[in-house]
């Protein structure tokens, strides 16, 4: 018997979840075209199938979150190896260890496997720069994978927060040429994010190629300034155990002040700071405490609803 | 005339080797003594596996822990002050639960049980947690230097595993997430309490859960209304028992399994009444 596949072109059932969100495939109108209702041969695939798999969400997976709330998307921006991955990984590990955000409880995540993968990938590759494990989110390949946190403010208020997981190369390309084909993911981020984290690689700015690093960073900041409007930007000096010269720091600060009306600087490092009495890692949490201040979350903005424009039936979102 | 089937169902969940089977056996023993407020409704044959456990304990030995040992679903039918209640031990086998997390599918039987249950009892064995979570308990800078071995659990730390399990169960039961839930009631049982070291025991069950699994505890706090969930400690056997012939425990033989085993209430007090977690659930009017 040939394996049954869903005839819906944007649906990968039974390999993945039903695109229309049916927990039982037998209830999906597309699937029924193939098998007919109540077909005995489909025993295995009539079992409830979950609408999330735990990996980072792609554009087509977003419905599971947008169906219940207007999520707050935070775009992480920075060149490759700047420290975006370490920032996300550290956030998760700190939550895991019982260090919490100031105003929110952890109320779950649809991307736990993605979060777990960050921590394990980090620990399995000694000496190599941390890498995101390959994720299987269903995307066009040109939008960032999204990590999800459900945060509870009080008994009645739940906030869904999405964090972008994007290769630094996208932003490097975008800083040079906004409309370049390789920059689509960056453009998507700037279109939809409600706040940003700019991750600055202190190590690169202190190293032998610091002149180039400074130049690239300033170009990125200026490009962001064109797009940011009044959206909040957390400036994160990552790897802050490396010290950057005052001259370079000042140039960058000036560019930032000119570009971002609402920003704040943070220093983070995975290494404990010998001069600070704070627990190591506090900086990572403070970044998100600031970005997720309740006043920030009140304004709703629409998330993209994935639509297949070439098929009038599939374009209908009204079921 | 026999009472009609109950609409109240308590689902008992936990991974392999978390002590659910010994609890079932010891619980049966306590119920057979007929001294408490909970009674057995009839003596169904499906309780045979628990009777086997009890018989083994009477001989001073623990039940087998062979991974291949399976049983079909076991239902303990109780008569309680709240009316008839079924306590359900779903199909044994850690692979059932692993299948849920890895293959993202739930069998119809499991889905029905989850959807119909009014209360969940989740077994967590504290001493089984550490080995899977090594990478998370290191300082951040050590983690980024690649100090950890590959995870034996295939990528799920224990905390993430439990959070995901409850997320899946709530989804199947259509328990909405936007507000904290009152239903189903949740009892978390920290099992094999006698294995826990003294300092940790002194914290009492709720604080120990928060210490060992802060992310998971935070998740439960956030997702359930206060008063709808609680944490008990449990030692069904009261002491280590071997399952080997020749290593029988004399005290068990002399005094019987009903003299052993205890629960630790959320406030830290200890009692031999193994039905206490169930009574907590029933007092909340399922």
């Amino acid at each position: 018997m040939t394996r049954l596949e869903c005839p819906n072109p944007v649906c990968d059932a039974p390999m993945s979840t039903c695109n229309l969100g049916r927990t039982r495939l037998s209830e999906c109108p597309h699937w029924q075209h193939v098998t007919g209702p109540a077909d005995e041969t489909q025993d295995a695939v009539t079992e409830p199938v979950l609408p999330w798999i735990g990996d980072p969400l792609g554009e087509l997976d977003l419905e599971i979150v947008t169906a219940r709330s207007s999520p707050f998307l935070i775009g992480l921006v920075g060149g490759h190896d700047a420290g975006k991955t370490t920032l996300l990984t550290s956030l998760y590990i700190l939550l895991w260890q019982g260090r919490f955000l100031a105003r929110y409880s952890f109320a779950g995540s649809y991307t736990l496997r993605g979060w777990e993968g960050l921590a394990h990938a980090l620990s399995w590759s000694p000496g190599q720069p941390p890498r995101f494990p390959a994720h299987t989110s269903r995307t066009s390949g040109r939008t960032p994978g999204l990590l999800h946190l459900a945060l509870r403010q009080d008994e009645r208020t739940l906030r869904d927060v999405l964090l972008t997981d994007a290769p630094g190369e996208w932003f490097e390309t975008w800083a040079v040429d906004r409309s370049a084909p390789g920059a689509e993911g960056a453009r998507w981020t700037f279109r939809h994010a409600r706040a940003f984290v700019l991750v600055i690689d202190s190590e690169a700015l202190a190293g032998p190629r610091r002149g180039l690093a400074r130049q690239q960073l300033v170009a990125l900041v200026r490009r962001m300034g064109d797009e940011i409007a009044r959206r909040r930007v957390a400036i994160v000096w990552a790897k802050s155990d490396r010290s950057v010269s005052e001259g370079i720091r000042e140039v960058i600060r000036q560019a930032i002040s000119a570009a971002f009306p609402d920003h704040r600087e943070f220093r983070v490092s995975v290494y404990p700071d010998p001069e600070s009495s704070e627990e190591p890692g506090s900086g990572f949490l403070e970044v998100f405490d600031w970005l997720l201040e309740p006043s920030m979350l009140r304004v709703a903005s629409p998330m993209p609803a994935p639509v297949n424009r070439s098929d009038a039936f599939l374009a209908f979102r009204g079921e | 005339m026999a009472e009609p089937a109950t609409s109240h169902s308590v689902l008992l969940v936990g991974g392999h080797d978390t002590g659910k089977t010994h609890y079932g056996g010891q619980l049966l023993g306590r119920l057979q003594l007929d001294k408490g407020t909970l009674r057995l409704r009839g003596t169904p044959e499906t309780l045979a596996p628990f009777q086997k456990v009890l018989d083994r304990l009477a001989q001073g030995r623990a039940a087998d822990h062979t991974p291949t040992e399976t049983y079909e679903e076991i239902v303990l039918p109780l008569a309680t002050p709240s009316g008839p209640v079924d306590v359900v031990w779903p199909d044994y086998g850690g692979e059932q639960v692993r299948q849920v997390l890895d293959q993202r599918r739930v069998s119809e039987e499991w889905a029905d049980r989850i959807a119909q249950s009014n209360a969940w009892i989740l077994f967590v064995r504290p001493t089984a947690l550490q080995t899977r979570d090594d990478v998370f308990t290191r300082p951040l800078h050590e983690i980024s230097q690649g100090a950890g071995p590959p995870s034996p659990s295939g990528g799920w730390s224990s905390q993430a595993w439990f959070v995901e399990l409850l997320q899946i169960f709530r989804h199947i039961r259509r328990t909405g997430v936007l507000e904290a839930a009152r239903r189903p009631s949740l009892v978390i049982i920290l099992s094999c309490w006698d294995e826990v070291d003294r300092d940790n025991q002194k914290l009492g069950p709720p604080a120990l859960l928060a210490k060992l699994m802060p992310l998971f505890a935070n998740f439960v706090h956030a997702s359930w209304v206060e008063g709808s969930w609680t944490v008990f400690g449990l030692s069904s056997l009261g002491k280590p028992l071997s399952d080997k012939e020749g290593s029988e425990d004399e005290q068990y033989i002399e005094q019987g399994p009903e003299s052993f085993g205890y629960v630790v209430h959320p406030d830290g007090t200890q009692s031999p009444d193994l039905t206490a977690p169930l009574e907590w659930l029933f007092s909340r009017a399922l």
Side-chain angles (χ1 to χ4, degrees), chain A residues 14 23-24 44-54 68-69 90 92-98 100 105-110 112-113 116 119-120 122-127 152 155-158 270-272 281 284, chain B residues 100-102 104-108 111-112 133 135-138 140-141 143-151 155-160 163-164 167-168 171-172 174 177-180 182 214-215 218-219 222-223 225-226:
Chain A
T23 50
R24 283 176 166 74
V45 296
T46 56
E47 294 180 340
V49 174
L50 298 167
W52 80 96
I53 52 179
R68 74 176 185 203
S69 80
S90 301
Y92 179 65
I93 288 175
L94 290 169
L95 292 176
W96 201 101
Q97 292 177 346
F100 295 121
S105 305
F106 172 74
S109 167
Y110 286 126
L112 279 172
R113 199 142 74 177
E116 291 274 300
H120 289 289
L122 206 54
S123 79
W124 292 354
S125 312
R152 182 169 293 288
E155 251 180 38
R156 305 190 91 82
T157 314
L158 187 80
V270 295
Y271 292 91
F284 293 104
Chain B
V100 171
L101 262 74
D102 290 342
R104 322 304 298 181
R105 290 206 156 85
V106 185
S107 71
E108 294 276 359
D112 285 341
D133 300 337
V135 66
F136 287 92
T137 55
R138 297 161 182 270
L140 281 179
H141 65 274
I143 298 174
S144 65
Q145 279 163 1
S151 158
W156 286 100
S157 67
S158 57
Q159 291 203 74
V163 171
E164 185 78 324
Q167 287 188 141
I168 290 172
H171 175 82
I172 288 176
R174 302 276 193 271
V177 183
L178 285 176
E179 293 187 5
R182 284 175 204 285
L215 183 72
N218 199 236
F219 167 73
S223 308
V225 170
E226 199 171 321

Side-chain angles (χ1 to χ4, degrees), chain B residues 68-147:
Chain B
T68 51
E69 182 181 288
T70 56
Y71 51 72
E72 310 251 315
E73 180 176 271
I74 297 182
V75 178
L76 194 68
L78 299 180
T80 83
S82 312
V85 178
D86 285 345
V87 184
V88 182
W89 275 252
D91 288 334
Y92 181 83
E95 67 271 10
Q96 293 284 346
V97 184
R98 209 174 305 125
Q99 178 186 60
V100 171
L101 262 74
D102 290 342
Q103 295 180 26
R104 322 304 298 181
R105 290 206 156 85
V106 185
S107 71
E108 294 276 359
E109 292 76 24
W110 268 82
D112 285 341
R113 278 296 176 200
I114 292 167
Q116 291 165 21
S117 50
N118 309 92
W120 297 336
I121 300 181
L122 181 66
F123 271 65
V124 177
R125 187 172 179 173
T127 52
L129 296 174
Q130 277 86 355
T131 49
R132 297 158 71 170
D133 300 337
D134 189 49
V135 66
F136 287 92
T137 55
R138 297 161 182 270
L140 281 179
H141 65 274
E142 274 189 40
I143 298 174
S144 65
Q145 279 163 1

Side-chain angles (χ1 to χ4, degrees), chain A residues 303-317:
Chain A
M303 282 298 295
V307 170
N308 184 328
R309 290 185 164 77
S310 63
D311 184 318
F313 173 79
L314 294 171
F316 176 58
R317 312 295 316 171

Side-chain angles (χ1 to χ4, degrees), chain A residues 56 113-114 117-118 121 131-135 165:
Chain A
R113 199 142 74 177
L118 290 183
R131 240 168 266 289
F132 282 103
H135 54 73
D165 145 10

Side-chain angles (χ1 to χ4, degrees), chain B residues 17 56 62 64 86 99 112 145 174-175 198 261-262:
Chain B
D17 209 20
R56 198 59 116 70
D64 284 330
D86 285 345
Q99 178 186 60
D112 285 341
Q145 279 163 1
R174 302 276 193 271
T175 298
R198 281 222 141 279
Y262 59 87

Side-chain angles (χ1 to χ4, degrees), chain A:
Chain A
M1 187 182 92
T2 55
R3 199 191 68 202
L4 299 171
E5 285 180 351
C6 182
N8 181 348
V10 294
C11 180
D12 293 323
M15 298 303 294
S16 178
T17 59
C18 171
N19 199 44
L20 293 185
R22 300 285 191 257
T23 50
R24 283 176 166 74
L25 288 175
S26 55
E27 295 167 15
C28 173
H30 292 286
W31 187 260
Q32 283 168 3
H33 279 122
V34 175
T35 63
D39 185 331
E40 302 262 335
T41 61
Q42 45 171 335
D43 287 346
V45 296
T46 56
E47 294 180 340
V49 174
L50 298 167
W52 80 96
I53 52 179
D55 287 336
L57 299 171
E59 195 177 7
L60 297 177
D61 301 311
L62 279 178
E63 286 173 325
I64 192 172
V65 175
T66 57
R68 74 176 185 203
S69 80
S70 176
F72 189 88
L73 177 68
I74 298 177
L76 267 69
V77 182
H80 81 283
D81 279 356
K84 302 190 295 300
T85 314
T86 302
L87 179 66
L88 287 172
T89 312
S90 301
L91 173 65
Y92 179 65
I93 288 175
L94 290 169
L95 292 176
W96 201 101
Q97 292 177 346
R99 310 266 302 279
F100 295 121
L101 296 169
R103 287 178 204 80
Y104 300 97
S105 305
F106 172 74
S109 167
Y110 286 126
T111 63
L112 279 172
R113 199 142 74 177
W115 288 112
E116 291 274 300
L118 290 183
H120 289 289
L122 206 54
S123 79
W124 292 354
S125 312
Q128 293 183 13
R131 240 168 266 289
F132 282 103
H135 54 73
T136 55
S137 52
R138 293 180 296 149
T139 71
S140 55
R142 295 186 294 277
T143 57
L146 301 169
L147 292 168
H148 170 246
L149 287 175
L151 300 176
R152 182 169 293 288
Q153 199 175 322
D154 54 54
E155 251 180 38
R156 305 190 91 82
T157 314
L158 187 80
R159 304 288 186 195
D160 284 310
V161 176
L162 295 169
L163 299 144
T164 59
D165 145 10
E169 290 80 3
W170 289 359
F171 299 104
E172 288 163 359
T173 304
W174 177 77
V176 169
D177 179 359
R178 193 195 168 278
S179 51
E184 185 174 326
R187 292 198 294 278
W188 188 96
T189 302
F190 281 93
R191 193 156 57 238
H192 297 296
R194 287 162 65 182
F196 299 87
V197 179
L198 173 62
V199 184
I200 295 178
D201 186 351
S202 305
E203 188 173 32
L205 291 173
R209 303 182 71 196
R210 56 190 177 280
L212 181 61
R214 176 196 48 71
Q215 181 172 286
Q216 288 175 333
L217 177 59
V218 170
L220 179 61
V221 168
R222 288 192 182 133
R223 175 73 68 213
M224 284 177 73
D226 292 340
E227 311 264 344
I228 212 88
R230 302 209 58 83
R231 288 177 286 182
R232 181 167 276 199
V233 184
I235 312 295
V236 175
W237 293 84
K239 311 176 197 171
S240 62
D241 47 286
R242 305 301 178 109
S243 77
V244 177
S245 77
E246 193 47 45
I248 289 181
R249 205 181 270 282
E250 193 46 42
V251 166
I252 291 168
R253 286 217 173 100
Q254 282 175 13
I256 285 171
S257 296
F260 307 141
D262 185 5
H263 70 273
R264 185 184 291 189
E265 291 189 42
F266 300 85
R267 292 169 44 118
V268 299
S269 170
V270 295
Y271 292 91
D273 182 351
E275 287 165 32
S276 166
S277 58
E278 286 196 22
E279 279 192 73
S282 313
F284 293 104
L285 294 169
E286 284 161 13
V287 172
F288 295 97
D289 282 335
W290 183 68
L291 287 175
L292 294 170
E293 280 179 346
S295 57
M296 292 293 301
L297 270 65
R298 257 180 241 136
V299 179
S301 85
M303 282 298 295
V307 170
N308 184 328
R309 290 185 164 77
S310 63
D311 184 318
F313 173 79
L314 294 171
F316 176 58
R317 312 295 316 171
E319 60 160 45

Side-chain angles (χ1 to χ4, degrees), chain B residues 126-127 190-209 211-212 232-235 238-240 262-270:
Chain B
T127 52
L190 298 179
S191 65
C192 307
W193 185 264
D194 55 299
E195 296 175 338
V196 174
D197 74 58
R198 281 222 141 279
D199 287 337
N200 279 338
Q201 283 185 350
K202 284 192 198 138
L203 297 174
L208 182 58
L209 181 73
K211 176 183 173 184
L212 295 179
F232 277 82
L234 168 74
S235 174
K239 60 193 299 205
Y262 59 87
V263 296
V264 183
H265 290 252
D267 64 4
T269 56
Q270 200 165 301

